[in-house]
Amino acid sequence: MKKIKLKIKTPKDSETIMTEVVCPNDTNPMGILQGGKLVQWMDIASAICAQNHTENICVTASIDNVKFKTPAKVGDIVTIKAKITRAFNTSVEIFVQVWSKKVISQKAYLINEAYFTFVAIDDYGNPCEVKGLKPVTADEKKQYNAALKRKEQR
Ligand SMILES: CC(C)(COP(=O)(O)OP(=O)(O)OC[C@H]1O[C@@H](n2cnc3c(N)ncnc32)[C@H](O)[C@@H]1OP(=O)(O)O)[C@@H](O)C(=O)NCCC(=O)NCCS
């Protein structure tokens, strides 16, 4: 396994915000954003977050607790926030939340959230050590502590 010189980073350092507009091609015949399309956007946002933290190529290892709470419709503005909760040995857990906003009313709703796990990969395709994470805020510390239990359950 490739060893790297570790440097501690905070969750804010790699926090990633991605914005999309729901277009007709992204929807089902009811004009509702397809679940697979939304998960693809979430995967991209969380991969950017994981790679900015690890400064390495990362692959998706698992996705848990994907919850489709409310539909997004054509024309809605979708904002995806990806934030690292914990760095382990070669993997990182990323918490992703998604909001959909109506253009006219400017009302935003939480439509989805999920935990993604990424594994950092070296030049030979083997998992490699990731940088440490120092949670700062009370919420970051709560997520950090709970992440270990989620990893054990996985
Ligand atoms: C993810 C992958 C690299 C793990 O490789 P592996 O040889 O099984 O790795 P190991 O058993 O040594 O585990 C390495 C890390 O991955 C984590 N991991 C492995 N499988 C996992 C899973 N299903 N869910 C969450 N984490 C997982 C381990 O917990 C470990 O983390 P840690 O080092 O931080 O404790 C490998 O299974 C793989 O390449 N999968 C395909 C990935 C892919 O194609 N993704 C979609 C495109 S990006």
Side-chain angles (χ1 to χ4, degrees):
M1 185 190 296
K2 184 177 125 186
K3 286 273 177 188
I4 55 167
K5 195 176 170 201
L6 287 181
K7 176 187 143 209
I8 303 286
K9 297 171 90 171
T10 70
K12 200 79 190 157
D13 289 332
S14 57
E15 186 176 296
T16 301
I17 311 271
M18 197 171 110
T19 307
E20 298 278 350
V21 175
V22 181
C23 293
N25 252 0
D26 305 322
T27 66
N28 69 11
M30 303 281 290
I32 291 170
L33 175 61
Q34 286 174 349
K37 188 71 197 183
L38 180 54
V39 173
Q40 184 193 7
W41 289 342
M42 293 164 76
D43 190 38
I44 292 168
S46 51
I48 293 168
C49 177
Q51 294 183 150
N52 275 335
H53 176 82
T54 60
E55 299 171 15
N56 217 309
I57 298 297
C58 293
V59 293
T60 315
S62 69
I63 306 174
D64 5 289
N65 301 336
V66 183
K67 292 189 199 109
F68 294 93
K69 295 169 184 289
T70 312
K73 300 201 169 154
V74 168
D76 289 355
I77 297 164
V78 172
T79 301
I80 301 151
K81 183 171 106 175
K83 194 169 178 181
I84 183 170
T85 61
R86 187 154 178 162
F88 295 98
N89 186 24
T90 64
S91 66
V92 291
E93 185 194 68
I94 311 290
F95 182 47
V96 186
Q97 292 173 292
V98 186
W99 293 267
S100 179
K101 189 168 76 174
K102 303 282 173 204
V103 174
I104 305 296
S105 69
Q106 288 286 292
K107 276 195 176 160
Y109 306 84
L110 182 70
I111 62 164
N112 202 307
E113 51 188 17
Y115 290 93
F116 284 63
T117 299
F118 286 84
V119 177
I121 298 295
D122 68 15
D123 295 345
Y124 306 98
N126 300 315
C128 61
E129 202 175 349
V130 296
K131 290 177 191 297
L133 181 77
K134 182 177 169 44
V136 178
T137 68
D139 188 52
E140 288 166 3
K141 286 175 185 166
K142 199 172 152 195
Q143 283 278 24
Y144 181 93
N145 290 329
L148 186 58
K149 188 159 254 176
R150 285 190 293 271
K151 180 171 162 61
E152 285 164 1
Q153 284 168 353
R154 241 167 249 141

